[in-house]
């Protein structure tokens, strides 16, 4: 983990267009540090955000497993929120209420550092809203989500299943975020998978701890939903 921590810190000094190659070159020297078959170097890199999290693609015996190594944020809170969401989902399933909840694993490895499971085949709500156009006004178009899900679910059965996944998972996360008081929700931390599942990430604000800007409470909507 110290290797990954040093890597993340060093990557912050590079320009965005040079970060990915830098990380790939570094990871060539640490393949033997992991109890896995290999690391897919070509799929590794760094996300262009403030904390410069590293994307790692582990090669297993049957499939690849992607993780994000993040240094600079306290991931214990994210891990606890996701455990509570999984507990809520277990309670719903006991009552035969399947809301198709999609969650991911978070493993804190120290103070302000840890591993996050990388969910494959998904996009942020912002990316979905603008995938056909780069115009800023496209985020207000309701049909963008419908078009994006339909693109990956061509048959009638796939189409119905995907929209059922979307409707159920959206309802489940609406309840979960409301009950847990999760704040700071926007179209960069709400994601939608190609199979239609919606889910949330980044739980730095919860239990009513609202995001403020210049003393103004930005989180005035207690119930977060997605319309398509």
């Amino acid at each position: 983990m110290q290797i990954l921590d040093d890597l993340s810190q060093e990557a912050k000094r590079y320009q965005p267009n040079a970060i990915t190659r830098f990380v790939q070159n570094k990871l060539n020297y640490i393949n033997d540090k992991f109890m896995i078959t290999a690391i897919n170097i070509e799929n590794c890199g760094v996300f262009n955000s403030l904390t410069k999290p590293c994307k790692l693609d582990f090669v297993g015996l049957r499939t690849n497993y992607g993780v994000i190594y993040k240094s600079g944020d306290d991931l214990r809170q994210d891990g606890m929120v996701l455990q509570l969401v999984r507990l809520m989902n277990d309670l719903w399933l006991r009552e035969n209420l399947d809301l198709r909840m999609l969650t991911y694993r978070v493993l804190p490895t120290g103070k302000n550092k840890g591993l996050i499971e990388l969910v494959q085949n998904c996009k942020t709500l912002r990316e979905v809203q603008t995938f056909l156009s780069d115009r800023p006004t496209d985020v207000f178009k309701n049909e963008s989500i419908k078009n994006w899900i339909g693109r990956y679910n061509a048959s009638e059965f796939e189409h119905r299943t995907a929209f059922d996944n979307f409707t159920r998972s959206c309802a489940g996360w609406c309840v979960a975020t409301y009950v847990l008081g999760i704040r700071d929700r926007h179209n960069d931390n709400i994601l939608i998978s190609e199979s239609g599942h919606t889910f949330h990430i980044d739980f730095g604000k919860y239990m009513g701890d609202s995001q403020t800007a210049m003393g103004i409470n930005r989180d005035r909507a207690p119930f977060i939903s997605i319309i398509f």
Side-chain angles (χ1 to χ4, degrees):
M1 290 303 166
Q2 185 60 46
I3 295 175
L4 293 175
D5 193 29
D6 295 341
L7 182 63
S8 179
Q9 294 298 325
E10 191 172 351
K12 295 176 183 179
R13 299 197 296 268
Y14 283 73
Q15 295 298 319
N17 59 354
I19 286 177
T20 298
R21 179 52 54 188
F22 161 74
V23 173
Q24 290 174 350
N25 291 337
K26 285 290 186 179
L27 288 178
N28 277 314
Y29 297 99
I30 63 172
N31 284 11
D32 59 344
K33 302 295 183 180
F34 298 91
M35 297 298 294
I36 54 176
T37 59
I39 296 180
N40 188 348
I41 302 298
E42 294 301 320
N43 286 342
C44 295
V46 171
F47 292 99
N48 188 27
S49 62
L50 182 63
T51 57
K52 295 294 187 292
C54 299
K55 175 187 175 183
L56 305 173
D57 189 31
F58 297 146
V59 179
L61 296 176
R62 297 183 179 179
T63 185
N64 289 17
Y65 188 79
V67 300
I68 299 171
Y69 180 77
K70 196 171 185 180
S71 176
D73 284 341
D74 189 353
L75 297 180
R76 295 173 297 178
Q77 185 164 299
D78 287 59
M80 184 183 69
V81 168
L82 287 165
Q83 287 184 40
L84 291 173
V85 172
R86 282 192 289 270
L87 176 60
M88 295 170 69
N89 189 46
D90 289 341
L91 295 175
W92 290 331
L93 290 174
R94 291 180 188 178
E95 300 298 324
N96 296 318
L97 182 60
D98 185 2
L99 295 179
R100 315 284 171 80
M101 297 292 286
L102 192 158
T103 60
Y104 54 95
R105 301 289 178 177
V106 174
L107 177 64
T109 59
K111 184 178 180 181
N112 297 332
K113 66 181 72 173
L115 296 170
I116 304 172
E117 180 183 3
L118 183 63
V119 180
Q120 304 291 344
N121 303 321
C122 64
K123 297 290 185 182
T124 66
L125 184 56
R126 181 192 297 274
E127 292 172 322
V128 170
Q129 291 168 328
T130 59
F131 88 100
L132 289 178
S133 173
D134 293 329
R135 292 178 299 180
T137 55
D138 285 347
V139 299
F140 300 106
K141 293 183 177 180
N142 292 337
E143 67 270 16
S144 58
I145 296 176
K146 179 180 179 180
N147 294 338
W148 189 82
I149 294 178
R151 183 180 186 180
Y152 298 99
N153 301 275
S155 71
E156 182 179 355
F157 175 77
E158 291 175 335
H159 194 266
R160 288 184 177 181
T161 301
F163 276 99
D164 190 37
N165 291 338
F166 177 85
T167 304
R168 289 171 178 262
S169 59
C170 184
W173 276 100
C174 283
V175 174
T177 53
Y178 177 77
V179 171
L180 297 176
I182 296 174
R183 300 291 187 260
D184 191 26
R185 298 296 89 193
H186 48 78
N187 58 3
D188 278 326
N189 57 27
I190 301 175
L191 285 78
I192 304 175
S193 72
E194 294 177 3
S195 58
H197 296 85
T198 182
F199 63 101
H200 290 235
I201 63 172
D202 190 6
F203 305 107
K205 297 288 185 179
Y206 83 129
M207 295 298 180
D209 181 18
S210 298
Q211 185 80 1
T212 60
M214 301 179 64
I216 300 175
N217 183 5
R218 291 173 48 189
D219 296 314
R220 287 170 288 181
F223 203 77
I224 307 299
S225 182
I226 303 175
I227 305 298
F228 68 92

